[in-house]
Amino acid sequence: MLHVLYLVGIAAFAASGVLAAYRANMDPFGGLVLAFAASISGGTLRDVILDRRPLYWTHDWVLLTVIICVGVGTMAYLRFWSLPRKSLLVVDAIGLSVVTVIGARAAISAGVTPLAVIILAVLTGVTGEVIRDVLCGEFPPLLLREDVYAIAALAGACCYLLMYRLGTGASVAAMVSAGLVFALRMGAVYFGLHLPRPQQLRGRGAEQDAG
């Protein structure tokens, strides 16, 4: 069950990579590069930090096949049809929710401290998006423009860690935690929610001083 869920998250990130390449007017090769970059960067960084060898994707042909198939399939779809305006945000939210939870599970399995579990889970979830946006020439990346992104991953990581400590089954904990990340991210997109920006905080301070 968890492996299937992980493949869903990887597929979502692969699709988001192709969609980002499409928006950046890249060629098909660029689309595949971004599909792989968005899909495996977070898990690769996690494994490097945990000193896990070999890297998880180097011996998982199913995962690599999913990335290629989803990447090619998404490009074929875009050749004939257009996608809704917020499609990139939706598939990105799916990838973020699933990969964050899988990152938390991998960190727990490695026996690291609870704080390290949360940090590694968030890094696993957001790294692919950051690299994807940088390769597309988008700066700042989505992570730094949309506040309820890493925050959503953080909430999901904490939720999974708490449910694990309470003895909840792995599949249930993963589904609930991933659902929380997705709900927070899409709720922020739908309602246009952001954390207060520095300019807004300065503006409020000036208003209070004037009052």
Side-chain angles (χ1 to χ4, degrees):
M1 174 62 183
L2 289 177
H3 188 63
V4 173
L5 187 64
Y6 187 46
L7 291 178
V8 170
I10 290 297
F13 266 153
S16 79
V18 174
L19 291 175
Y22 178 79
R23 291 174 55 183
N25 295 315
M26 292 185 178
D27 62 17
F29 179 75
L32 281 179
V33 169
L34 261 63
F36 275 94
S39 301
I40 66 176
S41 297
T44 299
L45 177 61
R46 178 200 65 222
D47 282 3
V48 168
I49 292 174
L50 293 174
D51 195 25
R52 296 174 61 177
R53 296 291 187 278
L55 297 177
Y56 75 102
W57 54 267
T58 59
H59 54 90
D60 191 342
W61 65 269
V62 174
L63 182 147
L64 297 176
T65 302
V66 167
I67 295 174
I68 294 173
C69 291
V70 171
V72 172
T74 304
M75 286 188 284
Y77 184 94
L78 293 173
R79 179 69 177 81
F80 300 101
W81 297 283
S82 59
L83 291 174
R85 186 170 59 89
K86 293 187 181 297
S87 57
L88 175 59
L89 297 176
V90 174
V91 295
D92 188 68
I94 295 172
L96 175 69
S97 61
V98 175
V99 174
T100 296
V101 170
I102 297 299
R105 178 174 173 79
I108 290 173
S109 299
V112 300
T113 65
L115 180 58
V117 169
I118 295 171
I119 293 173
L120 287 168
V122 174
L123 286 176
T124 305
V126 306
T127 299
E129 174 274 329
V130 172
I131 293 178
R132 180 199 71 201
D133 285 0
V134 169
L135 291 176
C136 283
E138 291 193 28
F139 191 84
L142 179 66
L143 171 65
L144 302 179
R145 289 182 283 116
E146 299 288 346
D147 305 286
V148 187
Y149 193 89
I151 292 295
L154 177 64
C158 292
C159 178
Y160 185 86
L161 181 60
L162 176 61
M163 295 183 74
Y164 171 82
R165 288 298 183 91
L166 293 176
T168 307
S171 297
V172 174
M175 293 295 292
V176 171
S177 302
L180 175 62
V181 177
F182 183 79
L184 289 174
R185 180 70 191 115
M186 292 313 301
V189 170
Y190 184 80
F191 293 105
L193 301 178
H194 299 276
L195 297 178
R197 291 176 169 80
Q199 296 88 341
Q200 294 173 327
L201 294 176
R202 286 198 298 268
R204 292 173 185 173
E207 291 176 0
Q208 293 174 356
D209 292 341

